[in-house]
Amino acid sequence: MKKSLVWLRRDIRVTDHTALSAACAESDEVNLVFIFDQKILEKLDKQDKRVTFIHDSIKELHHDLDKAGGGINIYFGDPVEIITSLAKKLKVGKVFFNRDYEAYALNRDKAVTKSLKNNDIDVATFRDHIVFEPKEVLKKDKTPYKVFTPFKRAWIERFKEEFSRGKSFKIDLKKISSSVQSDFTSNNWMKKMGFEHQELLIPAGRSGALKTMKNFQKHIIDYHKTRDLLEKNSTSGLSPYIRHGLLSIREVLNLGLKDNLIVHDTFISEIIWREFYQMILSNFPVVEKKSFKPQYDEIVWQGGAKEFNAWKNGQTGFPIIDAAMRCLNDTGLMPNRLRMVTASFLCKTLLVDWKKGERYFADKLLDYDLASNNGGWQWSSSSGCDSQPYFRIFNPLSQSQKFDPKGKFIRRWCPELFDLDDKQIHQPHAYGPLFLVEKSIEYPAPVVDYAQKRVEALDMYKTALK
């Protein structure tokens, strides 16, 4: 009997899965394994919502497979040791997994592959969580793009060629083995790993992903008009499910297509931005630690702990900023419009180093992805490729009035401001020092003067770029 092992990572599903499809085609018996990587988890807060999201998703998948006669081997520890040991124990001839492109993952996967081959076990890896790999969409001179628009054009041309072939990754679930090993003998996995189970605002698992995707399908026709309107909550809501592979990127792409033609360009563009940032991180790995534009590393950031802490805790005195940060802290979620607004505010109003904001988002976002998070922060701080010019500074008041005109989002996350009218709620301190006192409202005074800091930000950037 030909036996194989499929290592699930950021692809928690058994549908449209490239590595699993290949394993089913080659094997009589396929074993699945998921590892809670101890080297990653030991760096996280013990109340990290992502661990709960992954835990609940794996638990659902294991339950669904068990009903179908299969299952998943689930472990907590070092993947290099566990994969090698399990592959030998199961006597598999080959290990399959989908590629990841972040520095840690590349080094880990290289070590796993070396260990397996030292034990005469073959390894096969596949492209799965992105449409095109970092070196598949290049300029004519075979160098990477540095500007999004020409990259998008080239990506679409490549896409037309690639997807006209009608690729399909079918899975034979009957081949998935029901014989499973696990580090977890009870339902209390979280406690064994040292984490506390958290309440989630969105449903985990493949079922949650499908429900969210179905709901978005009803509104995708208006996505280009409504995605930034906070009161409508009109983002797709798919990013956590894409990040953890509960949906395949091909399933998501199909939402914006009809007969392999792009019919929802704005939605497809968001997917291409994701691919663009993955390409940049892979081809220019320096961006993980430094600015894409090296001269921006010369900036002397003037903001300190006071400003950064006010931003983190949603206590800046700017309602749209505070609402956004409180939402992030409480749910792990933040619409893309607010990611740009809060990032611009930290760098260009509070004058705090963008790398601090990047790290904070990395700790909090349920959909955290290194490439996209890094790319977004470098875009907002003007330090990245094809980023907004340094003199473009989002005004939190105008952004608030434009994208939350009735203050519904602010009222949800800053309930102390609930009774203010639709005009007052965007800038309560503009109505005089006693305005909030007379209304018995406790809300922090603005941590900085926006107009003054805008001037200082421009000077700060100009000085560094001389």
Side-chain angles (χ1 to χ4, degrees):
M1 176 182 284
K2 204 169 184 181
K3 299 170 68 175
S4 63
L5 178 65
V6 175
W7 179 17
L8 303 179
R9 297 112 67 82
R10 52 185 299 167
D11 44 15
I12 308 173
R13 65 182 189 280
V14 290
T15 303
D16 192 27
H17 190 292
T18 54
L20 180 55
S21 177
C24 288
E26 292 187 28
S27 314
D28 301 305
E29 177 184 294
V30 179
N31 296 271
L32 302 181
V33 61
F34 183 88
I35 302 167
F36 289 93
D37 190 332
Q38 190 169 5
K39 292 183 179 178
I40 295 176
L41 266 59
E42 66 188 7
K43 300 175 183 177
L44 303 181
D45 183 90
K46 299 311 176 184
Q47 296 179 327
D48 195 299
K49 287 180 168 53
R50 288 167 296 190
V51 180
T52 295
F53 187 80
I54 295 169
H55 165 274
D56 290 359
S57 298
I58 286 291
K59 196 169 184 178
E60 180 189 83
L61 179 58
H62 182 58
H63 177 71
D64 290 346
L65 285 171
D66 183 61
K67 289 194 297 183
I72 309 174
N73 299 279
I74 305 168
Y75 289 91
F76 170 58
D78 181 357
V80 179
E81 296 176 3
I82 293 170
I83 292 292
T84 306
S85 174
L86 185 61
K88 290 167 65 178
K89 188 172 185 177
L90 295 172
K91 297 180 180 179
V92 304
K94 198 170 188 177
V95 173
F96 297 74
F97 58 87
N98 292 322
R99 290 187 281 273
D100 197 343
Y101 308 91
E102 296 178 7
Y104 170 76
L106 290 169
N107 290 330
R108 176 199 61 199
D109 295 351
K110 185 177 179 180
V112 169
T113 299
K114 181 179 179 181
S115 178
L116 289 168
K117 290 186 174 180
N118 285 343
N119 285 276
D120 297 320
I121 300 170
D122 290 335
V123 177
T125 68
F126 301 84
R127 176 185 70 185
D128 186 78
H129 84 86
I130 52 179
V131 181
F132 297 116
E133 294 193 281
K135 296 189 184 299
E136 286 192 297
V137 180
L138 300 172
K139 293 189 286 186
K140 291 181 179 179
D141 63 1
K142 303 302 180 184
T143 60
Y145 285 94
K146 299 178 183 179
V147 178
F148 175 73
T149 300
F151 173 81
K152 177 183 175 180
R153 285 196 295 264
W155 189 98
I156 290 174
E157 286 303 309
R158 180 72 183 264
F159 172 79
K160 289 177 181 177
E161 298 171 4
E162 180 97 3
F163 281 77
S164 62
R165 302 172 192 163
K167 283 196 171 183
S168 177
F169 298 100
K170 297 180 180 179
I171 313 297
D172 186 351
L173 294 178
K174 294 178 181 178
K175 290 188 175 183
I176 296 179
S177 174
S178 61
S179 177
V180 298
Q181 310 276 331
S182 179
D183 272 352
F184 309 102
T185 56
S186 70
N187 287 326
N188 203 354
W189 306 358
M190 299 286 286
K191 186 175 181 181
K192 182 167 183 178
M193 294 189 294
F195 285 84
E196 299 173 24
H197 196 277
Q198 301 296 300
E199 183 178 348
L200 300 175
L201 186 66
I202 63 173
R206 173 80 175 169
S207 62
L210 293 176
K211 181 179 179 180
T212 304
M213 184 168 67
K214 184 178 180 180
N215 182 62
F216 177 58
Q217 280 181 296
K218 301 174 185 176
H219 309 289
I220 191 172
I221 193 169
D222 296 319
Y223 178 76
H224 64 293
K225 295 185 293 186
T226 63
R227 63 190 176 125
D228 288 326
L229 298 178
L230 302 174
E231 64 181 44
K232 291 182 176 293
N233 191 24
S234 296
T235 63
S236 73
L238 296 175
S239 58
Y241 304 107
I242 297 171
R243 168 60 183 87
H244 298 290
L246 293 153
L247 296 170
S248 79
I249 193 63
R250 294 164 295 279
E251 288 179 292
V252 176
L253 265 174
N254 283 334
L255 295 173
L257 305 177
K258 186 175 182 180
D259 299 325
N260 281 341
L261 297 176
I262 294 173
V263 293
H264 298 295
D265 180 73
T266 301
F267 178 69
I268 295 296
S269 289
E270 293 302 306
I271 295 174
I272 302 175
W273 269 109
R274 178 177 179 269
E275 302 255 318
F276 179 67
Y277 286 141
Q278 182 65 71
M279 181 274 296
I280 292 296
L281 178 65
S282 298
N283 287 295
F284 304 96
V286 66
V287 299
E288 185 173 352
K289 303 294 183 184
K290 297 183 178 181
S291 300
F292 182 86
K293 300 173 183 175
Q295 63 270 35
Y296 281 75
D297 286 328
E298 302 302 316
I299 293 175
V300 178
W301 300 95
Q302 299 166 21
K306 175 187 174 184
E307 291 81 6
F308 185 47
N309 288 331
W311 178 84
K312 286 195 303 182
N313 297 318
Q315 296 291 328
T316 66
F318 291 79
I320 194 63
I321 302 298
D322 294 339
M325 295 306 296
R326 294 180 193 184
C327 175
L328 173 65
N329 292 334
D330 192 60
T331 69
L333 305 171
M334 185 187 284
N336 190 57
R337 167 57 53 177
L338 290 181
R339 297 187 196 198
M340 293 188 290
V341 173
T342 55
S344 176
F345 187 82
L346 182 69
C347 307
K348 297 179 177 179
T349 301
L350 300 184
L351 311 186
V352 173
D353 189 345
W354 65 269
K355 298 183 190 70
K356 293 182 179 180
E358 180 199 27
R359 286 193 294 271
Y360 191 74
F361 272 26
D363 288 339
K364 294 295 182 179
L365 285 170
L366 198 60
D367 65 356
Y368 170 65
D369 176 89
L370 173 58
S372 295
N373 189 52
N374 179 275
W377 274 95
Q378 294 221 29
W379 184 89
S380 295
S381 63
S382 304
S383 60
C385 60
D386 198 19
S387 54
Q388 63 172 349
Y390 74 85
F391 48 81
R392 271 196 64 195
I393 301 175
F394 283 133
N395 183 321
L397 175 59
S398 60
Q399 291 286 308
S400 183
Q401 292 169 332
K402 182 175 182 180
F403 298 114
D404 189 27
K406 295 182 180 179
K408 288 186 177 181
F409 183 83
I410 294 173
R411 285 188 177 88
R412 178 176 182 182
W413 295 106
C414 297
E416 64 269 40
L417 303 178
F418 189 89
D419 291 331
L420 299 184
D421 67 33
D422 294 351
K423 184 177 180 181
Q424 296 166 344
I425 199 166
H426 298 287
Q427 51 173 351
H429 293 291
Y431 295 88
L434 297 179
F435 176 70
L436 294 180
V437 174
E438 291 171 349
K439 291 181 174 291
S440 300
I441 293 175
E442 293 185 13
Y443 182 67
V447 68
V448 295
D449 180 288
Y450 170 76
Q452 177 185 331
K453 288 298 179 179
R454 188 181 189 282
V455 173
E456 291 180 20
L458 294 174
D459 289 342
M460 181 182 74
Y461 274 90
K462 288 176 184 176
T463 299
L465 300 178
K466 284 182 179 178

